[in-house]
């Protein structure tokens, strides 16, 4: 389980930013004693592989399932982040989860922002999210999985990160034992901010594949570049005044921005398709054992 997420924000953030890829889930290095107390990690063996995983689920955000989601509140991920995580920036309306970013004085930051993470860990399978971003320089809207030293595990991570300075693209990436340099920018037809788009990655023992709106956009098969530890699922929207080379020069948007999520799902390998639009319904090779 995570230890207290408030302690995750300080350690070794700079090491993650040696290159341009993903922004430092060492932000979550300390993760949640609260979650230990809740005892919320219910793991079952993955059908096809040897990584322990929580069960398949679909969440359409008709409500916020507190047994599944931890809402980050009252802390930051380090000096690079210009906003404080705030539960007030996490809201639900008409089946859509919104993570906000707006000017709001919080401790030593001028802005507040939103993040949620699962209390459970997940292994091999298909991870899917349907979401829509806002636009603006200096911000990052992310859907990713992560685990790290706070859980007595190596740092593994699988990313979709939309740098909203350019909403025509999404960056995909993976970190293995804290080593990245697997990033790739891929086109999102029509833009990430004009309509909801479907983002998915399929994690198997011998491959990692990313999809945008059902189209394969990146594949990794090198065993040295594949994660091997069960991870938590995260959504976040945050900004930075300092990471200009990667995220663009931040400018006060003058209004509240949001990352909107209509649905998230995890389907373990070998489990059946859970909803008609799922990638698992259309990609025939999913769920095969190795």
């Amino acid at each position: 389980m995570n230890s207290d997420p408030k302690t995750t924000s300080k350690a070794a953030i700079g090491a993650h930013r040696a290159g341009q890829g993903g922004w430092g889930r060492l932000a979550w290095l300390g993760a949640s004693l609260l979650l230990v107390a809740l005892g919320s990690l219910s793991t079952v063996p993955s059908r096809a592989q040897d990584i322990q995983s929580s069960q398949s689920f679909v969440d359409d955000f008709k409500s916020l399932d507190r047994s599944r989601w931890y809402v980050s509140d009252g802390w930051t991920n380090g000096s690079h982040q210009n906003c404080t995580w705030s539960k007030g920036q996490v809201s639900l309306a008409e089946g859509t989860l919104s993570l906000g970013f707006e000017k709001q004085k919080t401790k030593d930051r001028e802005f507040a922002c939103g993040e949620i993470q699962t209390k459970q860990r997940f292994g091999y399978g298909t991870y899917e999210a349907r979401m829509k971003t806002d636009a603006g320089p200096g911000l990052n809207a992310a859907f990713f999985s992560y685990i790290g030293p706070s859980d007595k595990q190596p740092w593994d991570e699988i990313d979709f990160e939309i740098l909203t300075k350019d909403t025509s693209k999404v960056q995909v990436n993976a970190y293995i034992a804290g080593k990245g340099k697997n990033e790739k920018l891929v086109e999102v037809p029509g833009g990430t901010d004009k309509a909801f788009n479907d983002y998915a990655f399929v994690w198997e023992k011998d491959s990692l594949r990313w999809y945008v709106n059902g189209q394969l956009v990146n594949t990794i098969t090198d065993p040295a570049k594949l994660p091997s530890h069960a991870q938590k699922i995260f959504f976040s929207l945050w900004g930075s005044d300092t990471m200009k080379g990667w995220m663009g020069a931040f400018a006060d948007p003058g209004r509240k921005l949001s990352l909107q999520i209509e649905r998230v799902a995890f389907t373990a390998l070998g489990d059946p398709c859970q909803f008609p639009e799922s990638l698992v319904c259309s990609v025939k090779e999913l769920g095969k054992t190795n």
Side-chain angles (χ1 to χ4, degrees), residues 68-288:
R68 175 174 295 134
W69 297 106
Y70 175 86
V71 177
S72 299
D73 184 58
W75 51 284
T76 73
N77 286 349
S79 59
H80 67 286
Q81 183 176 321
N82 68 2
C83 57
T84 301
W85 300 129
S86 170
K87 63 184 179 182
Q89 297 300 320
V90 178
S91 61
L92 286 171
E94 299 180 349
T96 300
L97 173 74
S98 292
L99 303 182
F101 180 97
E102 67 177 329
K103 194 160 192 174
Q104 183 181 101
K105 180 68 175 178
T106 52
K107 296 184 179 179
D108 59 346
R109 301 293 196 273
E110 296 296 324
F111 295 88
C113 50
E115 177 189 71
I116 64 170
Q117 58 179 277
T118 59
K119 296 175 178 179
Q120 297 83 20
R121 306 177 202 171
F122 301 89
Y124 297 130
T126 301
Y127 297 68
E128 303 177 82
R130 181 168 177 79
M131 61 189 196
K132 178 183 177 182
T133 75
D134 237 311
L139 289 108
N140 184 320
F143 159 49
F144 61 98
S145 62
Y146 167 81
I147 200 69
S150 62
D151 298 290
K152 299 182 179 178
Q153 299 290 325
W155 169 12
D156 280 2
E157 179 179 346
I158 306 169
D159 293 331
F160 278 103
E161 293 183 294
I162 297 163
L163 310 176
T164 58
K165 66 179 183 179
D166 181 0
T167 57
S168 70
K169 297 179 178 64
V170 60
Q171 180 175 285
V172 300
N173 204 354
Y175 283 80
I176 313 304
K179 296 179 180 180
K181 300 195 179 298
N182 298 308
E183 65 271 3
K184 179 181 178 181
L185 281 172
V186 299
E187 297 289 332
V188 180
T192 68
D193 60 329
K194 299 298 189 293
F196 282 88
N197 292 280
D198 293 300
Y199 304 89
F201 60 85
V202 181
W203 175 23
E204 298 178 303
K205 189 173 184 178
D206 59 1
S207 68
L208 180 56
R209 305 191 300 279
W210 287 262
Y211 294 79
V212 175
N213 294 325
Q215 300 299 308
L216 181 65
V217 296
N218 195 41
T219 301
I220 292 175
T221 57
D222 181 347
K225 296 183 177 182
L226 295 173
S228 56
H229 300 83
Q231 302 175 38
K232 297 172 185 175
I233 299 170
F234 288 73
F235 291 96
S236 64
L237 176 64
W238 60 281
S240 176
D241 296 322
T242 61
M243 303 173 78
K244 299 176 183 178
W246 182 48
M247 293 170 56
F250 176 81
D252 183 348
R255 63 181 179 92
K256 184 174 182 175
L257 304 182
S258 66
L259 167 62
Q260 300 176 66
I261 305 116
E262 285 189 338
R263 180 178 55 235
V264 59
F266 167 75
T267 307
L269 287 185
D271 279 4
C273 171
Q274 298 187 88
F275 56 98
E277 302 84 2
S278 174
L279 187 70
V280 181
C281 300
S282 58
V283 180
K284 302 304 183 183
E285 67 269 21
L286 298 182
K288 289 184 178 181

